[in-house]
Amino acid sequence: MCKSITKNWRYIAILVVIVLIGLLVRLPEFRTVIPGQIDSSKVIWFDEALSIHYASLDFESLFNILKFDSSPPLFYLLLWLWQNIFGSSLTTLVLLPFIFSLASIVSVFYLAKEIFNKKIGLLASLFFSLSALNISYATELRTYSLLVFLVSLSMLFGWKGWQHNRNRDWILYIVFTLLSLYSHYTAIVYLAIWFVLLLFFNHHKWQKILSVHSPIFLLYVPQFLYFSRWQDLWAGDSRLTPFFQRTFSHGGYQEFLLYLKSLVFGKIYLADYSLLLGGFVFLLLVSITAYFWSERKMRFLFFLILGGYVGLAILKWVYVPKYFIIFTIPVVIFIASALFQIKNLLLKIGAFILIMILFSITVNANRATSIQDQFLFYAPSAYEFIEQNEQPGDLILTDHFNDLSLPHYYHGDSEVELFMPYENNLATADQRWRYWDYNVMTEENVGLVQGLIENNQRVWFFNYLPQSSGVQDPSGYLVNYLKENLNPVKYYYFPDNSEAVQKVELILFEKNVID
């Protein structure tokens, strides 16, 4: 009895150390590092500014506006509650996803322990604590850390229900699965694959499995009806494939190897050969392990990992690495279990050292923001530039994107005007998926902006490049109107380095001087 208690405390002590390791490697996420551009306390990008904006609304306004957002409401509601209790400072707010990220280390331990044993649980939690993808989003004011935590708990109690068939476990599985569905739509992919695998590997209990999932499907109906994007199916374009592409995609097709690479290497965009090599090696190792150690549990994890990609490819045509994040859970457990399958002690130690080196390299490589994403963090330098160069009577003409980030970083004296909304028609039903309650610039309504700019000698205007990524002015009517009626005297770009793939353009307009 005493030995058992001592052993349990030893495992708990090791788990605490692993959590501390996870905390230490996540602390740098409280800063934003862009080599040669930014090295400061955390800089929020637009989606995070949107989260803060939602959290600052009264509850009725929050409830009404969330139906148009591209994510379910749970994280926003929790952030709203968190802000009202603990305050609205940025450091305080980012503690919420940070806590979920740390808690996931513990939940992954219990999940892996339930599937295999405590030793594999500790190893899986160690690998998870060093997961570059999870570290990258540990302080992101979005739903990803919450999603991972809830999915890991859903898996935990789903596995317990499958193994022990206890009502308590099934009830907790239902609760955490529903919460994950109300956190992000990629949870639909997880649930679909998990449900199919439960039926396939445990077909003699299919009636129980169906009965457990029935309330999940039923209780998800309110979210289905609440979210306006779902309504596009009967509000205009009912073609299923374009609907999913419009609703959840940024366009294009996702490489399968990017999925495999991201699960281990994180969100860094490596050179093509590294991407191919990393993805191929990972697939090869996973396949060999699943073949030689074809234990039922390993095969379950194997199909969960690969099934995740298939589900994501169906739901969304292109996925950036953050959408893969929930499938890092089975990956770290699979790797931990595969390591314990090695019988030779020296080989096992060598493999562990190599894995730790790999995780350490990827954690370090993901510290800095990639070149592709640098433009997202333009706000501090852009607004500082305006403050240093503004003149009395200047106007900052901004869209909804910049209007949300401006209060956090602009401290100057220029007048600020949001050029939308105006008294033009809202987006049509088949556009609502992209523009929600925004009004959209057209040839007919762009002239209404004249009322904003006619009393100012100089106008600062942000313009996203490429122009097609602009939300409220996708066709460039506004910038063309400004060029026709004002004199564009200076163009500035953020970031200003030549390697940046996408940049934010800041244009300074002045009134034409009439001789």
Side-chain angles (χ1 to χ4, degrees):
M1 181 67 176
C2 292
K3 287 184 178 180
S4 176
I5 294 175
T6 302
K7 198 170 185 180
N8 285 335
W9 275 108
R10 186 185 307 160
Y11 284 120
I12 293 173
I14 295 173
L15 181 59
V16 169
V17 171
I18 291 172
V19 172
L20 289 175
I21 292 172
L23 185 148
L24 290 175
V25 297
R26 282 161 173 75
L27 284 179
E29 297 302 315
F30 284 91
R31 298 184 64 80
T32 296
V33 177
I34 302 176
Q37 298 289 320
I38 297 174
D39 187 354
S40 67
S41 58
K42 179 178 170 62
V43 177
I44 57 172
W45 64 294
F46 169 73
D47 281 7
E48 293 180 289
L50 186 65
S51 298
I52 297 172
H53 171 66
Y54 286 166
S56 66
L57 298 173
D58 61 85
F59 186 78
E60 183 179 359
S61 299
L62 174 64
F63 183 83
N64 290 331
I65 202 171
L66 286 183
K67 69 177 66 176
F68 298 109
D69 195 78
S70 58
S71 297
L74 183 58
F75 178 76
Y76 298 126
L77 293 172
L78 290 176
L79 187 63
W80 178 87
L81 183 63
W82 182 270
Q83 177 171 287
N84 279 277
I85 295 175
F86 298 107
S88 58
S89 73
L90 183 57
T91 302
T92 300
L93 293 177
V94 298
L95 282 175
L96 180 62
F98 187 75
I99 290 170
F100 286 130
S101 184
L102 291 180
S104 298
I105 299 173
V106 179
S107 60
V108 165
F109 162 74
Y110 282 103
L111 172 60
K113 179 180 79 73
E114 183 65 29
I115 298 175
F116 293 104
N117 55 54
K118 290 179 180 178
K119 291 182 179 180
I120 293 178
L122 289 173
L123 194 57
S125 65
L126 175 62
F127 292 159
F128 184 87
S129 72
L130 298 174
S131 166
L133 200 56
N134 286 282
I135 292 171
S136 294
Y137 293 96
T139 60
E140 180 104 344
L141 279 168
R142 302 295 287 170
T143 190
Y144 306 110
S145 292
L146 170 64
L147 175 67
V148 170
F149 178 59
L150 293 173
V151 168
S152 64
L153 290 177
S154 172
M155 289 181 179
L156 170 61
F157 291 105
W159 192 276
K160 281 188 170 186
W162 174 20
Q163 294 296 111
H164 309 298
N165 198 24
R166 295 188 299 241
N167 288 333
R168 179 188 62 187
D169 295 326
W170 284 124
I171 290 172
L172 289 172
Y173 169 67
I174 292 171
V175 169
F176 288 114
T177 302
L178 276 169
L179 290 175
S180 66
L181 289 171
Y182 277 83
S183 298
H184 199 270
Y185 292 103
T186 48
I188 298 173
V189 175
Y190 148 67
L191 179 59
I193 302 303
W194 184 267
F195 175 72
V196 169
L197 291 177
L198 280 180
L199 287 175
F200 182 79
F201 282 87
N202 212 16
H203 55 83
H204 60 284
K205 295 182 180 179
W206 66 271
Q207 289 180 315
K208 179 66 176 180
I209 294 172
L210 286 176
S211 66
V212 166
H213 286 82
S214 295
I216 295 176
F217 302 142
L218 181 64
L219 292 172
Y220 187 67
V221 170
Q223 169 63 19
F224 184 85
L225 297 176
Y226 173 71
F227 182 40
S228 292
R229 291 191 180 186
W230 292 118
Q231 297 171 19
D232 287 339
L233 280 174
W234 57 83
D237 189 349
S238 60
R239 293 173 297 165
L240 191 60
T241 300
F243 165 72
F244 280 117
Q245 187 173 9
R246 289 196 319 273
T247 303
F248 300 102
S249 180
H250 302 301
Y253 287 87
Q254 182 59 57
E255 293 290 341
F256 177 57
L257 292 176
L258 175 59
Y259 168 74
L260 295 172
K261 187 274 295 187
S262 298
L263 294 179
V264 176
F265 291 90
K267 67 177 183 177
I268 54 172
Y269 293 84
L270 301 175
D272 289 344
Y273 71 89
S274 300
L275 170 63
L276 294 172
L277 180 62
F280 176 76
V281 169
F282 175 69
L283 177 62
L284 185 64
L285 290 175
V286 167
S287 300
I288 290 174
T289 304
Y291 177 80
F292 285 105
W293 295 294
S294 55
E295 185 183 355
R296 197 160 172 248
K297 299 173 182 179
M298 294 290 283
R299 281 183 282 130
F300 185 95
L301 293 172
F302 176 78
F303 286 115
L304 182 59
I305 295 166
L306 297 188
Y309 172 78
V310 174
L312 290 172
I314 292 172
L315 181 64
K316 188 177 175 77
W317 294 116
V318 60
Y319 260 79
V320 289
K322 61 186 178 184
Y323 298 113
F324 306 147
I325 195 166
I326 55 177
F327 294 100
T328 59
I329 301 169
V331 162
V332 295
I333 297 174
F334 189 97
I335 295 174
S337 177
L339 188 62
F340 269 89
Q341 302 288 345
I342 300 174
K343 303 301 181 184
N344 184 282
L345 180 60
L346 289 178
L347 188 59
K348 183 182 295 187
I349 293 173
F352 172 75
I353 292 173
L354 286 175
I355 292 172
M356 290 299 293
I357 291 173
L358 173 64
F359 275 94
S360 299
I361 291 173
T362 57
V363 168
N364 184 64
N366 279 269
R367 284 277 182 253
T369 299
S370 67
I371 293 175
Q372 287 84 347
D373 290 337
Q374 287 184 30
F375 77 99
L376 295 172
F377 303 95
Y378 68 91
S381 53
Y383 287 121
E384 181 182 1
F385 182 85
I386 294 177
E387 290 175 18
Q388 293 172 350
N389 295 275
E390 64 186 354
Q391 297 178 8
D394 280 6
L395 169 70
I396 300 175
L397 190 62
T398 178
D399 63 2
H400 190 61
F401 275 34
N402 291 288
D403 185 52
L404 289 178
S405 59
L406 183 143
H408 299 283
Y409 298 110
Y410 179 65
H411 309 290
D413 300 317
S414 294
E415 179 186 3
V416 179
E417 288 285 358
L418 179 66
F419 65 76
M420 284 297 188
Y422 259 114
E423 296 176 358
N424 53 301
N425 294 328
L426 293 175
T428 59
D430 62 336
Q431 291 176 319
R432 190 177 65 242
W433 65 272
R434 185 68 175 90
Y435 304 118
W436 44 294
D437 62 347
Y438 295 166
N439 297 318
V440 182
M441 277 293 178
T442 66
E443 289 182 279
E444 291 75 26
N445 66 39
V446 68
L448 294 171
V449 176
Q450 185 62 32
L452 293 178
I453 64 175
E454 60 186 2
N455 295 321
N456 297 90
Q457 182 65 32
R458 305 199 321 165
V459 176
W460 299 87
F461 176 70
F462 283 110
N463 188 36
Y464 274 100
L465 295 179
Q467 181 60 43
S468 58
S469 66
V471 173
Q472 293 173 281
D473 187 25
S475 300
Y477 291 117
L478 177 56
V479 70
N480 290 333
Y481 181 86
L482 293 173
K483 287 179 179 179
E484 291 171 1
N485 291 272
L486 298 172
N487 181 30
V489 294
K490 290 289 183 71
Y491 291 81
Y492 309 95
Y493 297 93
F494 303 90
D496 59 5
N497 63 69
S498 59
E499 295 181 344
V501 177
Q502 185 166 335
K503 303 180 181 182
V504 176
E505 183 180 52
L506 176 63
I507 308 174
L508 174 60
F509 290 94
E510 291 185 356
K511 276 189 176 179
N512 294 312
V513 178
I514 301 176
D515 295 328

